């Protein structure tokens, strides 16, 4: 009887769209170079659907993630907290070789747990990478439904029998990126009577490099075979994003849905031919090439269209932003900031005084245009406003500025936990 009443309540909510809480869709790309998207100047590979998020919404020109590799970034995104605060500093090993302690700590509150508490249907499609044991499964961390794989990488052409629907293996036959798009669209169809949260995490364009021949043939003009496959993989993801956006249009939900797209870290250029230029470095490094990612947000009628937002933001912000959009009270102890008032112009100034990174022996801090980089026993200082490629080290020339950033970093670092797996100074996969 109780569940019938809840269903009736949801139907009433759907009947008055003006009062309805917005849907929230967070889409994550994997190992994607910023410079490969049209919205960020890419010309070689068409990404019209991702670009449309910029045309119809906000394009962040200083969007970061909290780690230059997969799992820790996702831990930060799910919790809204710097993941090093709770020891989630490194990637684990592969599914069968992961360290015993690996998994997003259960004492942390996830975004879907909060949104579920606010009356949302919560669904996840894609790569999880936040724990392999049963207690860390997405269905135990706030999601009502799940379709995807738990590890860090997966075959696309032969998804096979370790793709899960809920906790049950399914024998998936479709190209995995297309399968994820199919499942995301189906989730929207099924969940749309009530406010929903969809976390759609493509593993594209992470290794292995696999794409259907028909998609590869469209890029015959690209001489490098690996780059041709990358282009095919990226356009498959772009088509998948297009499928999700089309569903919103068909159901007339565009003005009731906040859609965000980010990548989980910078491109591992040698591995998959992704391009991070003009940034220095790649996935695995705290230079901007490892942490500065595509970052786009659309909410028609609520957020400005075609706007570029230049102040530094970080994926940790998406958690409190989503909670605010859902009408929830601001969660405590978060590092992320609700970005909505900054995007609508209600608040001015930068959302963050500083952003920080720690990844084993590497560390960085950004304050305004200044960036501190610590690695291999070296201290470097860059002014990103005139040196976006982090080429000209000003540590010796600007000792006062250096001290300011070092002090801010040291304070933040002192608040962090020891890694629960992996070790400081030891670079994990
Ligand atoms: Ca990644």
């Amino acid at each position: 009887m109780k569940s019938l009443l809840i269903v009736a309540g949801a139907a009433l909510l759907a009947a008055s769209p003006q009062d309805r809480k917005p849907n929230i869709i967070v889409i994550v790309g994997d190992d994607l170079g910023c410079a490969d998207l049209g919205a960020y100047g890419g010309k070689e590979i068409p990404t019209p659907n991702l670009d449309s998020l910029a045309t119809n919404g906000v394009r962040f020109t200083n969007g970061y993630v909290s780690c230059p590799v997969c799992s820790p970034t996702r831990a930060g995104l799910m919790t809204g907290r710097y993941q090093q605060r709770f020891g989630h500093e490194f990637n684990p090993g592969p599914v069968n070789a992961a360290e015993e302690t690996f998994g997003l700590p259960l004492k942390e509150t996830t975004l879907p747990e909060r949104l579920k508490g606010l009356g949302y249907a919560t669904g996840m499609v894609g790569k999880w990478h936040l724990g392999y044991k049963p207690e860390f499964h997405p269905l135990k961390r706030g999601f009502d439904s799940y379709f995807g794989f738990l590890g860090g990488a997966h075959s696309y052409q032969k998804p096979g029998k370790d793709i899960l629907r809920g906790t049950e293996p399914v024998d998936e036959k479709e190209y995995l990126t297309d399968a994820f798009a199919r499942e995301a669209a189906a989730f929207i169809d099924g969940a749309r009577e009530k406010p929903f949260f969809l976390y759609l995490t493509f593993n594209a364009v992470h290794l292995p490099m696999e794409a259907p021949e028909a998609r590869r043939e469209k890029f015959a003009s690209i001489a490098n075979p690996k780059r041709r496959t990358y282009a095919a993989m990226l356009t498959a993801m772009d088509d998948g994003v297009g499928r999700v956006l089309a569903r919103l249009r068909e159901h007339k939900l565009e003005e009731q849905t906040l859609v965000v797209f980010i990548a989980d870290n910078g491109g591992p250029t040698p591995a998959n031919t992704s391009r991070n230029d003009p940034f220095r470095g790649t996935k695995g490094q705290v230079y901007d090439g490892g942490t500065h990612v595509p970052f786009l947000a659309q909410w028609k009628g609520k957020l400005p269209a075609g706007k570029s937002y230049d102040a530094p933001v970080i994926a940790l912000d998406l958690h409190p932003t989503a909670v605010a959009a859902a009408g929830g009270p601001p969660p405590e102890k978060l590092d992320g900031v609700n970005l909505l008032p900054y995007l609508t112009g209600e608040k001015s100034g930068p959302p963050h005084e500083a952003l920080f990174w720690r990844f084993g022996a590497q560390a960085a801090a950004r304050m305004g245009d200044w960036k501190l980089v610590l690695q291999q026993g070296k201290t470097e200082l860059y002014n990103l406003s005139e040196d976006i490629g982090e080429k000209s080290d000003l540590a010796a020339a600007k000792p006062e500025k250096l001290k300011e950033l070092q002090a801010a970093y040291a304070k933040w670092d002192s608040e962090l936990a020891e890694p629960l797996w992996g070790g400081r100074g030891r670079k994990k996969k």
Side-chain angles (χ1 to χ4, degrees), residues 8 76 126 139 149 207 217 236 263 297 314 341 364-365 381 386 408:
L139 295 183
F149 65 91
L207 298 177
E217 280 167 7
I314 191 161
L381 183 70
E386 51 201 35

Side-chain angles (χ1 to χ4, degrees), residues 29-32 68-71 74 127 152 206 263-266 283:
D30 198 349
D31 286 15
L32 173 64
V69 298
C70 310
S71 176
R74 290 155 200 266
K127 160 173 161 176
H206 194 292
D264 69 336
N265 48 252
K283 174 182 181 178

